[in-house]
Amino acid sequence: MYTTEKFDPATFAPARFESDGEIQLRGQQIPYHTVSEDNVFYDASGKPIASIFSYSYFRSDVKDVANRPVLFGFNGGPGSSSMYVHAGFLGTTRVFYEETDRATSLPPYKSMDNPDCLLDIADIVLVDPVGTGYGVLLDENSADKFYGIEEDAEALLVFIEKWLHRYGRWTSPKYLIGESYGCTRAATAAGIAATRSHERSYALAFDGIVMIGNTVTTGKYFEREVPVEHAVVAFPSYAAIHWYHNHPTEETLEAFVKRARAFADTTYLTALYRGESLTGDEREDVIRQIQDFTGVSRQYLTDRALRIDDESFRLEVIKEKGASVARFDGRITRPRYVPEAVENVTGVYDDASSDRYGAFFFGVLTGVIFPKLNIHLDRVYVPAACMYDLYTKKDRWNREAPMGTTGEQLRNAMCRMHGLRVFFTNGYYDTATHIGIIYYMLNHAGLPMDRVSLKGYPSGHMIYIGEDNVKTLSDDVRSFVEGAMPSD
């Protein structure tokens, strides 16, 4: 990868920037201090091999921080920087994203003081993992120490451990806020912290975890090796997107999705199991109901033995309008320039939602937020590093997790850290991490459900797209940190 800064481990100098600011939150003028810095990892010889870059927001008028919560926030990927949660949700300045289905990804980009920021009740730390954002891998031979499910999670723990030492915050309540693969990272890190890694243990306990766009699973990783029909798990999301674009009913989104889920869990699941043994009338009745809930055509269903898949659904649901919907946010559309495109090859890289807000978030983060944080760094900021290349099939990420699946790790954490609470949040219009995956996982992971809550939002993968959504999500996370268990 090209770079504009020479990374010589022998002469590498960690960067550190500080700033001060004020923001009005809930009728209070809140002064704050920020520290943006490299957090360097060293090998046994003392040579720097990698750095996690962090952005810490401290409320500066609090004299006693012993019981003041700290929120550690990060995105996913694997390979994503913290750009989205930083500029969209948790920072003191955020994007002002008006029309969800913007006509273009071009400027102007609006930003604002974040009126929903949680800095009045907690200090906030945004995390760029190694190789993402301003986080760097200094020694390519050390990539396998960071690029993997368990390796990445343990690097996060080491970073948090050193951060708590540096700022004297071991007694503070600690929360993880992970989005997408960040849920995998959070669950695995919490599980390792509660038990041990391959080489050591950690005296580190978390009070709560917020999961945004869930990737916690009972399978090997994400949905791999989960014995369930994907079409059934994904059905609520298909129904939500159909409801949004085609208005099939006067019901609310929540009521329609609830009925769709009940149908998927019973009639649809049984129909897929029975296959060709369905009688003609039974089959036609199932087809009619699937069409009512999802908007796909009869021909589509008969061609696919009643099964719906994500890629073809996104091309099918509004094809009569000459458009397809985005993977990360089904509210966002694109003209079907090439209707026959194989979206399961190009979709991850060529997603309409990323096209609309990727440049927007990058522009606000680097052009507005970083100057406010006094960051002046001649280093390439990597919004997302591709750890898996769909074209070459090259995978830099170790997806083996011998210490247990993410579902098992989360159960380990919750059973050993008595009092640890988890709040799952998911957008109904998300076909990257379906809300149905959470329903299935919660039914099979053996979690202590009295400390688990789940809420669906009328949004996509990044729940905070849209002013109503970012306010609702922030209010819910605020309530969670203050001890409540938000839910639908």
Side-chain angles (χ1 to χ4, degrees), residues 17 33-39 52-58 70-73 81-83 85-87 90-91 119 123-129 132-135 159 163 166-167 365-366 369-370 373-375 377 379-382:
F17 308 94
H33 181 72
T34 71
V35 180
S36 304
E37 61 189 337
D38 278 304
N39 301 268
I52 283 177
F53 202 88
S54 62
Y55 314 83
S56 303
Y57 291 79
F58 302 95
V70 182
L71 315 181
F72 295 92
S81 69
S82 61
M83 177 176 78
V85 291
H86 193 166
L90 289 172
L119 189 59
D123 291 334
I124 300 166
V125 184
L126 288 311
V127 182
D128 286 344
T132 77
Y134 280 142
F159 156 71
W163 190 96
R166 183 180 305 133
Y167 294 107
L365 181 71
T366 59
I369 295 175
F370 284 173
L373 299 182
N374 196 33
I375 296 175
L377 188 58
R379 185 184 299 179
V380 171
Y381 185 90
V382 181

Side-chain angles (χ1 to χ4, degrees), residues 133-198:
Y134 280 142
V136 292
L137 179 67
L138 298 169
D139 177 15
E140 281 292 334
N141 294 324
S142 299
D144 61 355
K145 294 180 171 63
F146 303 96
Y147 292 166
I149 292 175
E150 293 176 355
E151 296 83 356
D152 165 79
E154 190 163 11
L156 175 71
L157 287 177
V158 171
F159 156 71
I160 292 175
E161 189 177 57
K162 298 305 292 183
W163 190 96
L164 295 170
H165 275 307
R166 183 180 305 133
Y167 294 107
R169 301 299 292 272
W170 272 106
T171 63
S172 293
K174 306 163 194 69
Y175 291 82
L176 301 176
I177 301 180
E179 179 179 296
S180 194
Y181 183 86
C183 300
T184 293
R185 177 179 295 127
T188 306
I192 293 174
T195 53
R196 52 166 292 169
S197 72
H198 295 287

Side-chain angles (χ1 to χ4, degrees), residues 282-298:
E282 289 174 324
R283 190 179 189 82
E284 289 304 316
D285 183 56
V286 170
I287 288 174
R288 177 188 58 77
Q289 292 186 72
I290 298 172
Q291 288 184 273
D292 289 345
F293 281 121
T294 66
V296 300
S297 69
R298 185 183 189 282

Side-chain angles (χ1 to χ4, degrees), residues 202-259:
Y202 290 84
L204 182 58
F206 296 104
D207 294 71
I209 304 175
V210 178
M211 306 284 195
I212 302 174
N214 178 60
T215 55
V216 178
T217 179
T218 56
K220 185 176 180 181
Y221 62 89
F222 194 36
E223 289 185 87
R224 302 301 188 275
E225 300 180 10
V226 175
V228 64
E229 289 275 4
H230 177 77
V232 173
V233 171
F235 204 82
S237 301
Y238 300 152
I241 293 170
H242 174 47
W243 178 93
Y244 181 83
H245 287 286
N246 298 322
H247 315 294
T249 175
E250 294 301 316
E251 292 172 279
T252 64
L253 168 65
E254 292 77 13
F256 187 66
V257 169
K258 184 177 181 179
R259 279 204 306 117

Side-chain angles (χ1 to χ4, degrees), residues 36-64:
S36 304
E37 61 189 337
D38 278 304
N39 301 268
V40 183
F41 293 80
Y42 300 88
D43 67 11
S45 70
K47 181 182 74 175
I49 56 175
S51 172
I52 283 177
F53 202 88
S54 62
Y55 314 83
S56 303
Y57 291 79
F58 302 95
R59 179 170 176 171
S60 53
D61 64 348
V62 178
K63 294 181 180 179
D64 184 2

